Amino acid sequence: MTINPLVLLTFFPLAGALLVVFLPAENRKTLRWTALGTSLVTFALSLWALSLYRVGEASMQLVINQPWFKIGSSQVSFIMGVDGISILLVLLTTFLTPISILSTWSAVQEHVKGFMLLFLLLESGMLGVFLALDLALFYIFWEFTLIPMIFLIGIWGGENKVYAAVKFFLFTMVGSVLMLLAILFLGLQAGTFSWMELAANRGLFAAAQIVLFLAFGVAFAIKVPMWPLHTWLPDAHVEAPTAGSVILAGVLLKMGAYGFLRFNLSLFPQATVQLAPWMAVLAIIGILYGAAVSYAQKDMKKLVAYSSVSHLGFVMLGIFALNFQGMSGAVLQMVNHGISTGALFLIVGMLYERRHTRALAEFGGVWKSMPVLGGIAMVVMLSSAGLPGLNGFVGEFTILLGAFGAKALGSPWFAGFATLGVILAAVYLLYWFEKVFFGAIHKEENRVLRDLNFREIITLTPLLIVIFWIGLYPKPFFNLINPGVEQLAALIQSAAVALH
């Protein structure tokens, strides 16, 4: 009997978590290495799954489908599969997890056992979200990711950690309840919770498409987060430990955008076409609002947190352009944001470890004492600003191309306003970089800051490699993304024709 690669990939972190449970709490070094080793093996398993993946095919691959239990007469099954939309997000998850764990070596000194246990549980839950193809199974994984993240913020967070954790929980649960009701309605109506069977029988719930779109959409919009449902994010980011912020920005926010692509667009295509302009308006507001508020911040971590609202606005604009270019760019930009913003949070964390403050006014001239960090921070900052030759440019340009020619949006002005967001991003990122790294040293503490050690360089180097790889040669990534997105764009086009 062979084990499905996706099942092994999803549940392997649980094996590592189980091992951590039985290790003595005082042996911090062993705990750290066990968690790091588990996450590295999980990354290797994701590369194995990628090697089995047939590039160029739009269909779900490596599928496992086993009946599980029934709710009334409706079948819940254990169904997992991967396509071009989810494979990159799986790789992003397994790539960022060991980097995040490595960043905790000196940052997390208290309750190391609990931290590593929760981090591995979180990785398993995130992988399940991207691979589950039964709505009930998806919901279980979706809710499961909430538990470790709440404790990571609430125990290892900053001064207002409990407030941030409770706010994160309440926002997410409100959206989750609406999504649960919609899932139960679909499953009981169709007799199955299988995404593939529901997608093949949309006529069973055609009359309720808009209500169902909104029920799923609120849950996903909170997670993205879209304006005006974003207010939990700055608190969660600022109070979370550095590794928590990296995984929150890098992976957890992508669960919302992925949910729109996987479920809203494929199950409710006509509602998607009808509501696309309104979703694009919210995306544009998020782009401009997030950029403007980022510039106003005095706390480095809060600045990067609000930048996520702006950058994820681009992702949502690409999705609701409802064409091939927009959606392909959106999927790639999810990866780009995870890499670049994850790196920004690591840099802010490294500065905080040395100065124990995130206030911009406390820095200045840091390049003189930390030239290695300054050089790395410059590349990461420019990638987040969308400089040609780095990863951010490829995703944003493709999204803008899609938005400019989007028939679903009815106006090129959406792309015009989004372009203004690119300019504003350059403004607040250059402002941050200038305040921290340039100018004279006014605080004596900044004169004696030690530069990055070997572990910190190793932590940031893989992110730099991917930043340049996607920026200079994005073809392998688009080869994975395009077939699935092309199929989804054709479905939306058919729905648009049917409506008109």
Side-chain angles (χ1 to χ4, degrees), residues 73-154:
S73 59
S74 299
Q75 181 66 52
V76 176
S77 300
F78 186 92
I79 310 175
M80 284 187 162
V82 69
D83 66 354
I85 294 171
S86 56
I87 187 74
L88 280 180
L89 296 174
V90 167
L91 290 166
L92 178 66
T93 305
T94 60
F95 178 70
L96 285 179
T97 300
I99 290 171
S100 301
I101 291 172
L102 189 58
S103 76
T104 67
W105 241 243
S106 57
V108 176
Q109 296 295 333
E110 298 295 323
H111 310 297
V112 174
K113 179 173 181 173
F115 188 94
M116 298 305 167
L117 173 65
L118 289 168
F119 223 85
L120 292 173
L121 292 175
L122 181 61
E123 181 178 25
S124 187
M126 294 184 298
L127 290 169
V129 165
F130 295 130
L131 294 172
L133 294 179
D134 181 281
L135 267 66
L137 180 65
F138 168 81
Y139 185 80
I140 290 168
F141 279 119
W142 177 274
E143 289 301 294
F144 182 76
T145 60
L146 184 61
I147 300 164
M149 198 67 219
I150 287 170
F151 285 110
L152 287 170
I153 297 170

Side-chain angles (χ1 to χ4, degrees), residues 41 379 423:
V41 173
V379 173
I423 298 167

Side-chain angles (χ1 to χ4, degrees), residues 379-434:
V379 173
V380 173
M381 178 271 296
L382 291 172
S383 81
S384 193
L387 183 77
L390 302 177
N391 61 338
F393 173 77
V394 182
E396 287 183 357
F397 179 79
T398 313
I399 288 168
L400 291 172
L401 194 66
F404 189 80
K407 293 179 181 177
L409 302 184
S411 172
W413 281 105
F414 284 97
F417 281 115
T419 305
L420 180 59
V422 177
I423 298 167
L424 291 174
V427 170
Y428 68 73
L429 285 163
L430 287 167
Y431 167 76
W432 165 75
F433 191 76
E434 185 269 334

Side-chain angles (χ1 to χ4, degrees), residues 227-294:
W227 182 91
L229 302 173
H230 66 283
T231 58
W232 64 269
L233 181 68
D235 293 305
H237 266 317
V238 168
E239 300 306 327
T242 297
S245 292
V246 172
I247 224 70
L248 179 60
V251 183
L252 281 169
L253 306 188
K254 310 309 179 306
M255 286 163 43
Y258 168 79
F260 275 110
L261 280 167
R262 174 66 69 227
F263 300 108
N264 282 49
L265 270 65
S266 61
L267 296 180
F268 322 121
Q270 293 187 346
T272 298
V273 172
Q274 290 172 287
L275 295 173
W278 297 103
M279 297 298 292
V281 166
L282 294 178
I284 293 294
I285 294 172
I287 290 170
L288 300 178
Y289 169 84
V293 177
S294 288

Side-chain angles (χ1 to χ4, degrees), residues 479-490:
N479 286 346
L480 286 169
I481 295 166
N482 288 347
V485 167
E486 201 167 1
Q487 188 178 61
L488 191 53

Side-chain angles (χ1 to χ4, degrees), residues 316-387:
M316 297 311 297
L317 180 64
I319 290 172
F320 286 97
L322 301 185
N323 56 24
F324 174 67
Q325 293 96 334
M327 287 191 280
S328 291
V331 176
L332 184 64
Q333 193 62 8
M334 283 191 241
V335 177
N336 290 338
H337 176 264
I339 299 297
S340 299
T341 304
L344 283 174
F345 276 119
L346 287 171
I347 290 164
V348 170
M350 289 168 186
L351 287 168
Y352 180 78
E353 278 186 55
R354 287 159 172 80
R355 284 295 323 275
H356 301 290
T357 178
R358 295 186 297 263
L360 286 170
E362 291 295 317
F363 292 90
V366 170
W367 190 300
K368 294 180 180 68
S369 51
M370 301 183 72
V372 176
L373 179 64
I376 292 172
M378 184 175 70
V379 173
V380 173
M381 178 271 296
L382 291 172
S383 81
S384 193
L387 183 77

Side-chain angles (χ1 to χ4, degrees), residues 409-480:
L409 302 184
S411 172
W413 281 105
F414 284 97
F417 281 115
T419 305
L420 180 59
V422 177
I423 298 167
L424 291 174
V427 170
Y428 68 73
L429 285 163
L430 287 167
Y431 167 76
W432 165 75
F433 191 76
E434 185 269 334
K435 285 287 185 185
V436 174
F437 291 98
F438 288 168
I441 295 179
H442 298 295
K443 305 282 184 181
E444 284 304 310
E445 298 94 326
N446 296 330
R447 204 177 296 279
V448 294
L449 291 176
R450 59 175 176 81
D451 211 342
L452 299 186
N453 59 34
F454 180 71
R455 176 187 59 80
E456 290 168 324
I457 292 171
I458 292 296
T459 303
L460 289 167
T461 298
L463 298 167
L464 289 177
I465 292 169
V466 176
I467 283 171
F468 282 107
W469 182 9
I470 297 177
L472 297 172
Y473 190 58
K475 187 173 181 286
F477 298 87
F478 280 125
N479 286 346
L480 286 169

